[in-house]
Amino acid sequence: MPEWSEWHLVIGANGQGFDINVFPDSIAGIRDQFPHQALNAMAAEGRPWWTGAPCLTRPISAFRRGAWSDEPRELADRVIWHIGRLLAWIDAAASGRLMAEGDPLELPVLPLIVPRATIGFWEDRESLTFWRDSQPRWGFATLAGIQGSVGTNVVADFMNQRRVSIRKPPWGSGISAPSGRIDAVWMVMPSLVVATPWRLPSTWHELTEFYQRASVDVPGILEQAGSRLRRFERSKRSAPQILLVGFPIAEICGGEPERMHWLAIGNLKTARRKDVRRGFSDLPGARKEWDRASAFEKRPLSFIASSNWAPDQLRRRGEAEREVRGKSVLLLGAGSLGSAVAQNLLRLGVTRMGIVDADTLGAGNLSRHSLAMEEIGWNKANALAIRLNRTMPDANIEAFDFLFPPTDEKGRQRLEGWDVVVDCTGEDKLLREMAAYPWDGIKVFVSLAMTWQASGMLAYSDEQASFPAEDAIERFMACSDKPDEGRLGLMDGIGCWHPVFPASADDVQLWAAIGTKFIRRAVLERHRICEHFVQDQLGAVERRAA
């Protein structure tokens, strides 16, 4: 940080007020890349500043609630506040205090990013031990595309130099990739290597120079990788263009490394069998030299955005308790309530579920079901399992498209081994069948049933070897008014009328949320709980003992 530097304070209207940013001057501003700073590069033509705006707001400002921030509201006061924050940032940068020990670790900003491309990986504390002990230190990888996404892939398989799998992340049922396919080259670094003060390499030459400091021979790796790829090469198949660079990181500055992180570079080039390059002969040894020479090119690195999709990272915005996440759940009924509860549980971290339902999705279900038009005519359990397996990368959802209880031995075997059984049908007959069914041990049983017109919900749970159906049915009848048959209201179809259960989508979502919380309580407390939830006309909910 120079003793003197010039800055531009830029104020722009945003419709509701003004945005304030500070940028380094294009001539007398700072040129280095620091922590807590946007990428410091040349701005658009005609602008007298570079793009490296320092981060001057406090972390809580990310929630965009002015009342939570100490930034003033009046423009003149905000300008003074930003200038004061800039001076404090400059002082911290000059003394190396932008990332103090104990602060969350911030990775360097990526210099050049391939647009609309993302690579996910799965690294947790257990996998760090594998990478520390593994040999060799480079190899090949297979990527799996995420169906329907834009430019999104995950690392599905790490292979050694002989294309033998050495680590397959435990992705869920919705992610798969062909075995042995080479989509990327990977190499492991002993640590994160950056330029002072906090910059990633921006060219292949810089990458080679940086990693030589860590005793990593990038030219040698590219030479060996290119040679191996030419042996594996098939006709009409391009060589992989992605390099994955992994290194152990700590989540807290100054802390011990906790997991691996992978950077992805999208413009790797190795010679193919028939490639010819000016200045090189057509012999195999020349292609090795070509691969070595590519490590010293001034060509810019094209980074691809990468992120850790391990469950504890993916659910940082909200997850259930560890004991709940570790349970497997068998869900009876994939109707509107059951499908919403299943989605909630999965997003909270319950990744192993079985769904039992023999019904088919009809157009009339769309007004409140989580499934969509494309699934009309599908069995609800099958369609919901597919949808859920595509929802989260660690989902392992099974569909059982038969009536409960199953009548054959194979069906009974598929219902063994589940920790929690949740009924979302609201049917007395099914509750009695749950009581009579020969379960394979003690289960946490839960029954969720909306009352007439979805004005309430009865939630019942117990940990037993069988479900106490009669007690649950008695409590349900005591809490739920019987519909007036003469005033059933709307019917489904023409001819032999079939009354529809009145419940709007917002009612179903409300009871699904409360029902999900009840399931969490049932798993944690593991004793008989029976509660009646009642909604008033304004949507407020009262909880009553039932």
Side-chain angles (χ1 to χ4, degrees):
M1 176 62 68
E3 184 177 359
W4 293 96
S5 55
E6 294 185 9
W7 300 79
H8 292 258
L9 190 142
V10 180
I11 303 174
N14 62 14
Q16 300 295 323
F18 296 93
D19 292 324
I20 299 178
N21 286 290
V22 181
F23 301 99
D25 183 72
S26 60
I27 299 174
I30 64 173
R31 291 291 173 271
D32 284 325
Q33 183 73 52
F34 288 87
H36 301 304
Q37 181 188 13
L39 179 64
N40 199 17
M42 293 183 65
E45 185 176 352
R47 292 188 175 177
W49 58 75
W50 278 32
T51 60
C55 181
L56 304 180
T57 57
R58 299 187 187 279
I60 201 169
S61 66
F63 301 118
R64 302 180 184 232
R65 284 286 178 182
W68 294 356
S69 174
D70 60 352
E71 181 177 346
R73 297 186 61 183
E74 297 299 324
L75 179 59
D77 295 333
R78 289 179 63 203
V79 169
I80 295 171
W81 186 86
H82 274 80
I83 293 173
R85 294 284 292 174
L86 173 64
L87 296 176
W89 186 92
I90 291 172
D91 287 343
S95 57
R97 292 183 289 106
L98 282 174
M99 285 201 306
E101 188 169 332
D103 287 347
L105 179 69
E106 175 190 299
L107 289 171
V109 63
L110 300 178
L112 178 66
I113 301 179
V114 177
R116 304 183 75 184
T118 303
I119 292 180
F121 56 88
W122 182 317
E123 297 293 351
D124 50 28
R125 289 170 174 82
E126 288 72 25
S127 65
L128 179 60
T129 302
F130 167 83
W131 288 113
R132 280 177 166 167
D133 298 339
S134 70
Q135 292 293 335
R137 308 304 286 170
W138 73 271
F140 302 108
T142 302
L143 303 183
I146 302 301
Q147 184 175 353
S149 68
V150 177
T152 304
N153 292 271
V154 297
V155 184
D157 191 6
F158 289 95
M159 298 172 284
N160 63 17
Q161 298 163 11
R162 297 183 303 278
R163 206 165 54 173
V164 176
S165 177
I166 59 173
R167 179 175 178 265
K168 286 188 176 182
W171 298 115
S173 301
I175 295 176
S176 61
S179 177
R181 190 182 69 192
I182 298 177
D183 298 310
V185 176
W186 62 265
M187 64 180 185
V188 171
M189 302 283 296
S191 62
L192 171 62
V193 180
V194 297
T196 305
W198 198 240
R199 180 175 68 83
L200 288 171
S202 59
T203 67
W204 285 94
H205 190 195
E206 280 192 342
L207 181 83
T208 298
E209 287 186 332
F210 282 24
Y211 293 175
Q212 280 178 342
R213 304 173 200 165
S215 300
V216 175
D217 180 14
V218 176
I221 291 175
L222 295 187
E223 176 188 332
Q224 295 175 64
S227 178
R228 288 277 180 179
L229 287 168
R230 285 188 288 278
R231 289 189 212 172
F232 302 142
E233 190 175 313
R234 298 177 181 176
S235 60
K236 299 182 180 180
R237 174 166 177 77
S238 60
Q241 295 183 321
I242 295 174
L243 175 65
L244 300 173
V245 180
F247 48 86
I249 60 169
E251 293 190 0
I252 301 297
C253 293
E256 289 295 318
E258 299 178 12
R259 64 185 74 226
M260 289 288 288
H261 187 87
W262 292 92
L263 294 176
I265 300 169
N267 58 342
L268 172 69
K269 289 183 180 180
T270 57
R272 298 191 65 196
R273 288 181 181 179
K274 296 182 180 180
D275 287 344
V276 177
R277 187 179 183 188
R278 182 177 297 178
F280 291 83
S281 73
D282 195 28
L283 299 175
R287 292 186 177 87
K288 291 184 179 182
E289 288 302 317
W290 181 356
D291 292 336
R292 287 189 66 88
S294 67
F296 297 97
E297 292 178 353
K298 302 294 185 181
R299 191 162 46 98
L301 297 171
S302 294
F303 284 90
I304 299 174
S306 61
S307 60
N308 195 343
W309 286 19
D312 65 325
Q313 301 291 298
L314 208 60
R315 292 184 175 85
R316 286 200 160 195
R317 302 184 184 199
E319 62 181 3
E321 300 80 4
R322 181 188 295 271
E323 187 174 352
V324 176
R325 300 196 310 271
K327 298 297 184 184
S328 60
V329 173
L330 181 67
L331 187 74
L332 306 182
S336 57
L337 181 63
S339 65
V341 167
Q343 278 219 8
N344 289 343
L345 290 173
L346 174 61
R347 294 183 190 277
L348 287 168
V350 180
T351 58
R352 183 167 177 254
M353 280 188 279
I355 301 172
V356 181
D357 202 311
D359 197 12
T360 299
L361 186 76
N365 299 128
L366 299 179
S367 64
R368 61 194 185 200
H369 205 284
S370 64
L371 296 176
M373 288 191 296
E374 61 192 290
E375 285 124 346
I376 291 176
W378 282 61
N379 168 264
K380 289 180 180 178
N382 287 324
L384 184 59
I386 292 172
R387 174 68 65 93
L388 293 175
N389 282 325
R390 292 176 180 172
T391 297
M392 298 294 281
D394 55 352
N396 284 290
I397 313 300
E398 297 180 71
F400 308 131
D401 55 355
F402 49 71
L403 289 170
F404 181 87
T407 57
D408 61 321
E409 182 61 27
K410 182 179 179 181
R412 286 189 287 270
Q413 288 178 358
R414 297 179 75 185
L415 299 194
E416 292 180 355
W418 301 93
D419 303 316
V420 183
V421 179
V422 179
D423 157 58
C424 289
T425 67
E427 298 178 4
D428 292 351
K429 179 175 180 291
L430 187 134
L431 297 184
R432 291 190 172 97
E433 288 169 338
M434 286 171 60
Y437 189 77
W439 299 101
D440 60 324
I442 303 294
K443 309 286 182 184
V444 174
F445 290 99
V446 178
S447 179
L448 305 175
M450 293 185 290
T451 60
W452 182 245
Q453 295 184 325
S455 60
M457 183 179 72
L458 183 80
Y460 187 101
S461 73
D462 201 359
E463 185 179 47
Q464 298 282 348
S466 62
F467 182 71
E470 295 305 325
D471 183 54
I473 293 171
E474 287 181 13
R475 293 173 187 255
F476 178 81
M477 295 305 297
C479 297
S480 180
D481 295 331
K482 178 182 178 182
D484 183 351
E485 191 168 351
R487 302 175 62 187
L488 283 178
L490 295 175
M491 297 288 176
D492 192 15
I494 297 175
C496 184
W497 290 351
H498 184 284
V500 295
F501 185 85
S504 58
D506 54 346
D507 288 332
V508 172
Q509 294 295 329
L510 171 67
W511 298 129
I514 292 175
T516 304
K517 290 181 180 296
F518 184 86
I519 293 170
R520 292 166 68 176
R521 281 184 55 209
V523 172
L524 295 172
E525 298 182 15
R526 303 173 67 170
H527 61 78
R528 183 167 297 186
I529 310 171
C530 188
E531 293 176 336
H532 182 207
F533 299 89
V534 181
Q535 178 186 187
D536 66 19
Q537 293 182 346
L538 298 178
V541 175
E542 176 187 355
R543 184 178 68 181
R544 303 171 182 172

